[in-house]
């Protein structure tokens, strides 16, 4: 059970990101910490993280956002949710705030880009669909296997739900891409995992995938050791880093432990080969992979968005 700590935000709501892919887009976190409790989450190592099993919910986000935008001479074209949390956490006050903030921005004709591994409630999906030209979504998936997903992402929506709500949004003309982030070495990097995942994404209309391989910080290593109960799985994953290397990444100008460059290149080539068979393009973000990529993963979308045609809104019972 996650403890929700109510607090007032003292810093600005709209904040810049150190990620190059978000360099020109203001970002918003509705919380510090996340109720999805993903065992590999990089945010566990951030100074602002409230601690395991805790979420700090900012009660005054909407009021401060209104005031910030009122003072701006030029409003932003779009806002990104969220660099270190998820707007669709299974916490009522977070979901209510997400709805209110999204609605305020969309009705102000400010675009909304988001990435989520959560269950998007029906009223939120309807809001996003009603403002489709101003919305771009990214759905996070690491596997279709419900057991693996539950072990590594215990508070997130099931893969089935994530696919269904992505399909609904695509049908409503909301551009949705996928994020295979992180690929878990020795666990989700094989063709037996990647092929059905690519097939499922292509089936619902996804055309682009952004991908990155897990890297480790001390807080992430500790989390995996504490929470991944299946010893063979845990040993395969952590054992992949035995010959790892220190990598300076552009995400926060930090150094992390990564599997060897050749191994990540091999993994990405395997994914690209499989994805190509299903008409999917794979983007490898240079922020997290500066030694093997120089491109952008477009995490905040592509603005102005491309115009799609022929889709119809389909409501799924999630």
């Amino acid at each position: 059970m996650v403890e929700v700590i109510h607090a007032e935000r003292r810093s600005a709501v709209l904040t810049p990101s150190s990620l190059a892919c978000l360099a020109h887009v203001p970002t918003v976190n509705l919380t510090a910490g996340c109720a999805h409790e993903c065992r590999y989450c990089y945010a566990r190592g951030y100074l602002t993280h409230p601690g395991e099993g805790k979420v700090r919910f900012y009660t005054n986000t909407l009021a401060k956002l209104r005031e910030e935008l009122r003072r701006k001479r030029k409003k932003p074209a779009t806002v990104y949710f969220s660099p270190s949390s998820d707007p669709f956490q299974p916490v009522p006050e977070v979901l209510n705030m997400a709805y209110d903030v999204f609605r305020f921005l969309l009705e102000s004709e400010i675009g909304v880009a988001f990435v989520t591994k959560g269950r998007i409630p029906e009223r939120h999906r309807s809001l996003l669909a009603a403002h489709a030209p101003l919305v771009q979504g990214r759905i996070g998936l690491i596997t279709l296997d419900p057991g693996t997903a539950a072990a590594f992402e215990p508070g997130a929506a099931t893969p089935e739900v994530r696919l269904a709500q992505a399909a609904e949004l695509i049908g409503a003309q909301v551009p949705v891409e996928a994020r295979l982030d992180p690929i878990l070495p020795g666990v989700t990097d094989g063709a037996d995992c990647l092929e059905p995942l690519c097939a499922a994404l292509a089936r619902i209309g996804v055309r682009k995938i952004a991908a990155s391989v897990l890297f480790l910080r001390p807080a992430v290593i500790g989390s995996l050791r504490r929470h991944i109960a299946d010893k063979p799985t845990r040993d395969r994953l952590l054992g992949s880093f035995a010959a790892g290397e220190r990598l300076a990444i552009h995400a926060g100008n930090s150094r992390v432990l990564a599997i060897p460059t050749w191994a990540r290149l091999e993994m990405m080539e395997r994914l690209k080969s499989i994805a190509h068979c299903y008409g999917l393009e794979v983007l490898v973000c240079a922020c997290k992979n500066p030694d093997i990529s120089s491109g952008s993963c477009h995490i905040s979308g592509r603005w102005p968005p491309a115009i799609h045609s022929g889709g119809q809104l389909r409501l799924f019972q999630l």
Side-chain angles (χ1 to χ4, degrees), residues 13 39 60-61 74 95 158 161 168 170 223 245 254 260 270 313:
V13 175
R39 305 315 189 192
N60 61 336
T61 295
K74 182 179 180 181
L95 290 172
T158 65
V161 164
E168 177 183 317
I170 291 170
S223 170
E245 53 194 38
S254 59
R270 183 185 309 124
L313 177 61

Side-chain angles (χ1 to χ4, degrees), residues 185 213-216 224 236-245 257-260:
V213 183
L214 178 73
F215 57 73
L216 297 179
L224 294 170
R236 283 199 313 276
L237 177 57
L238 295 178
S240 300
F241 291 84
E245 53 194 38
L257 180 64
I259 64 173

Side-chain angles (χ1 to χ4, degrees), residues 9-309:
R9 184 191 298 267
R10 297 185 179 181
S11 58
V13 175
L14 298 174
T15 56
S17 172
S18 61
L19 291 169
C21 294
L22 292 172
H24 305 294
V25 180
T27 70
V28 175
N29 280 295
L30 301 179
T31 65
C34 179
H36 289 157
E37 288 282 283
C38 295
R39 305 315 189 192
Y40 51 71
C41 182
Y42 305 131
R44 290 174 176 273
Y46 294 174
L47 293 176
T48 55
H49 194 268
E52 191 159 292
K54 297 179 181 179
V55 169
R56 185 182 299 114
F57 168 63
Y58 298 116
T59 58
N60 61 336
T61 295
L62 180 58
K64 282 186 69 68
L65 178 60
R66 288 181 185 275
E67 180 61 21
E68 284 179 31
L69 288 178
R70 187 186 66 79
R71 295 197 307 266
K72 283 186 178 294
R73 295 177 61 184
K74 182 179 180 181
K75 65 184 180 183
T78 187
V79 172
Y80 172 74
F81 296 79
S82 311
S84 56
S85 64
D86 195 304
F88 302 113
Q89 301 172 43
V91 178
E93 47 265 72
V94 177
L95 290 172
N96 288 337
M97 181 65 76
Y99 183 88
D100 291 342
V101 170
F102 277 43
R103 180 178 177 181
F104 167 66
L105 290 171
L106 293 170
E107 291 182 349
S108 301
E109 297 187 340
I110 296 174
V112 166
F114 66 88
V115 61
T116 186
K117 295 184 178 182
R119 178 188 288 265
I120 308 174
E122 183 176 349
R123 69 173 182 141
H124 294 66
R125 302 192 318 266
S126 297
L127 175 70
L128 297 172
H131 296 84
L134 289 172
V135 179
Q136 295 196 38
R138 301 292 180 270
I139 195 82
L141 277 170
I142 63 168
T143 180
L144 293 186
D145 179 67
T148 302
F152 285 92
E153 306 165 338
T158 65
E160 180 183 15
V161 164
R162 290 182 233 180
L163 286 169
Q165 60 196 18
E168 177 183 317
L169 291 173
I170 291 170
Q173 306 301 305
V174 175
V176 177
E177 296 179 5
R179 291 191 67 80
L180 275 60
D181 187 9
I183 298 173
L184 305 176
V187 182
T188 65
D189 61 323
D192 58 337
C193 176
L194 297 176
E195 181 145 11
L197 187 51
C198 287
L201 290 169
R203 205 159 42 237
I204 66 169
V206 169
R207 292 293 174 259
K208 295 181 187 291
I209 296 173
S212 189
V213 183
L214 178 73
F215 57 73
L216 297 179
R217 292 187 172 114
V220 177
I221 296 172
S223 170
L224 294 170
R225 285 176 173 164
R226 285 192 304 275
H227 295 296
I228 304 306
D230 184 74
K231 188 176 185 299
T233 298
R234 185 177 67 242
D235 288 350
R236 283 199 313 276
L237 177 57
L238 295 178
S240 300
F241 291 84
E245 53 194 38
R246 291 290 169 182
L247 178 68
I249 62 172
H250 302 321
N253 299 313
S254 59
R255 296 187 69 85
V256 299
L257 180 64
I259 64 173
T261 300
W262 66 264
R264 278 180 291 125
L265 280 169
E266 185 178 87
M267 210 173 289
M268 290 303 177
E269 287 307 311
R270 183 185 309 124
L271 172 60
K272 288 179 180 179
S273 176
I274 293 170
H276 179 74
C277 296
Y278 293 95
L280 298 169
E281 179 184 355
V282 176
L283 306 172
V284 181
C285 180
C287 297
K288 295 181 180 178
N289 306 274
D291 56 337
I292 65 173
S293 176
S294 59
S296 171
C297 65
H298 296 287
I299 192 171
S300 62
R302 295 168 174 79
W303 301 90
I307 302 299
H308 296 266
S309 63

